[in-house]
Amino acid sequence: MSNEIESVLIENRVFPPFENLVQGAAISGMDGYRALCEQADKNPDEFWASLARENLNWTKPFSTVLDESEAPFYRWFGDGELNVSANCLDKHLDTPTADKTALIFESDDGKVTKITYRQLHARVCEFANGIKALGHKTGERAIIYMPMSIEAVVAMQACARLGIIHSVVFGGFSSKSLHERTLDVGATLIITADEQVRGGKTIPLKSAVDEALGMGGCEAVNHVIVYKRTGGQVAWQEGRDLWMHDVAANQSGDCTPVAVNAEHPLFILYTSGSTGKPKGVQHASAGFLLWALMTVKWTFDAKDSDVFWCTADVGWVTGHTYITYGPLAAGLTQVVFEGVPTYPDAGRFWEMIQRHKVTVFYTAPTAIRSLTKAAESSPDHHPRKYDMSSLRIIGSVGEPINPEAWMWYFKNVGGERCPVLDTWWQTETGAHMITPLPGATPLKPGSCTLPLPGIAAAIVDEAGEEVGRGKGGFLVIKRPWPAMIRTIWGDPERFKKSYFPPELKGHYLAGDGAQRDQDDYFWIMGRIDDVLNVSGHRLGTMEVESALVSHELVAEAAVVGRPDATTGEAVVAFVVLKQALPEGEEAADIARLLRAWVAKEIGPIAKPKDIRFGENLPKTRSGKIMRRLLRVVAKGEAVTQDVSTLENPAILDQLSQAH
Ligand code: PRX
């Protein structure tokens, strides 16, 4: 890690905040930022309580703030009651926001549909009433497996309105992954679509649901509600399957929101860990909503006139926090996009920013890097061809943004007028944790800068002791915060073990390595565990390995990440087959087969970019696979490390030659 840190920290350009953004900012100037941090440090309970009182509508006010009695199972505002959907929709009904556009939906083929807050409220109510009429109740779990659409937002909001806990599964996951999640979460309801459309291609969704349910064990699912997106052919099970428009038809546009306890789970979202199957990260209603809203106000400095566009999919946490909940709670107009950045061409994002007059744009480094490549090779798709003067803030999320990509984004997309907000956070943290503030923080390309007020981020060593400036270590959060993960659904022990290891003195362990510089700015160095970040998507090496070894040809597999100029990291798999070592065409055929297998087992995002075959894997004498050596081999570099503990050093040559 140390070499990488040194090379990043050579970066010493600093961009002070733009004056026009400092004026009138929610947090204005570093003095404003520091004052809030001090308040939070001095009396955290009072800090969080006043934010929660001022920013959320409670049906029953809370009297307790943080309850640590069962740490690390923290509870926030534990005796309060509210409804999240009412806080996103109903609260605007008696204000001018009611008739403001809530969502500007643009389909893959460019068709635009707009919906106001009042209309969205009615749609959510009709659908929620329909779900209720089917007999579904507060506390049940619904799987949502849908394309980006107004309907996906309606489905999530309708669940929240009824206190039904949703678990959104990204449409790119396979039926096998969907099956695992449906079982784990104990779903009674699945909301899906006939097909999804991305980049001009249709991809079936309903048939994947049918397949998943056919795998057995999901008898609790008694309804599958289908949004008709394309009208493509679907199989139908009478009694179980229903069209979304039929469920909502003839229902009242008014549905009393169910007041739930502040700690009632709002959603469960599966994400990869370093061991075992994906974990169901459970979030609580009030704490999550509070931080989703506050970060929209603070980080994005939300203004009534904003047109906000977060390009994430609702299948990931970014889409939950910065599409379905935060921006709606803030009453913003936002763009929701069905398609991909490169269709019909690589100018799509820039053209959409121009046409919808987007003011705040939030995307992932992987998109920036691939669009940089496209723009530099084809001037027609360069952002400078488009009028993007509406932009005032541009953000980045999901993986480290290297200084080159940061500068390109700053110059070419932001026109050197818009701050680049490199926001660090995770599925588990619920919302932004370490990020610049547009009206306060001087920026350094490649750094996510400073923690938000109330967030006690620090860097510690293996014993939980804080390390000094310039020293690498584990990124931890020393104090609980309202939007934090509550538990891993159905596995509280794993929750404790993963995030609160005893040696770290009760600090939340993020799983990232980081370092602070002389100004105390944070520099994230990437995961410290066996989690990969491919195009901003989290993948466990173990998951990919399990998928590979479940194929009949495979005896053993080890998966590592390799730095990749576009996707950040790429999956490299080392595979030992049950048969003799394949060569030439045969090796290529088996590699193709295994890639398709992984796509089917997990989803196309998990496909190894490179598969290497060997007669064995590098192992210690006690049989442990030496992944650090495989990482070197995966990069195509010579192994210079000490290999004396290796049982079979010759295997490294074999795996390297296969490169
Ligand atoms: O390694 C960090 C990286 O993404 C991980 C969290 O992934 P996920 O839960 O899927 O959430 C992604 C969207 C919030 C982190 O542990 N990561 C996220 N944002 C950044 C980042 N790494 C560096 N810089 C960031 N801004």
Side-chain angles (χ1 to χ4, degrees), residues 318 398-400 422-427 512 524 527 533 538:
T318 308
E399 42 175 330
D422 176 3
T423 61
W424 178 87
W425 59 295
Q426 312 174 289
T427 306
D512 280 340
I524 308 291
R527 301 289 305 192
N533 195 326
R538 237 165 104 167

Side-chain angles (χ1 to χ4, degrees), residues 39-40 42-51 53 62 64-68 76-77:
Q39 260 183 39
K42 234 196 240 145
N43 191 341
D45 266 22
E46 187 41 46
F47 171 79
W48 291 114
S50 60
L51 288 181
R53 273 190 214 106
F62 57 89
T64 60
V65 186
L66 170 63
D67 174 358
E68 303 185 82
W76 284 90
F77 319 117

Side-chain angles (χ1 to χ4, degrees), residues 52-60 81-84 86-88 90-92 289 293:
R53 273 190 214 106
E54 284 160 24
N55 290 281
L56 301 183
N57 292 347
W58 296 85
T59 42
K60 176 170 172 253
E81 287 180 10
L82 48 50
N83 179 276
V84 169
N87 271 278
C88 294
D90 307 43
K91 83 165 186 204
H92 303 303
L289 178 68
L293 173 57

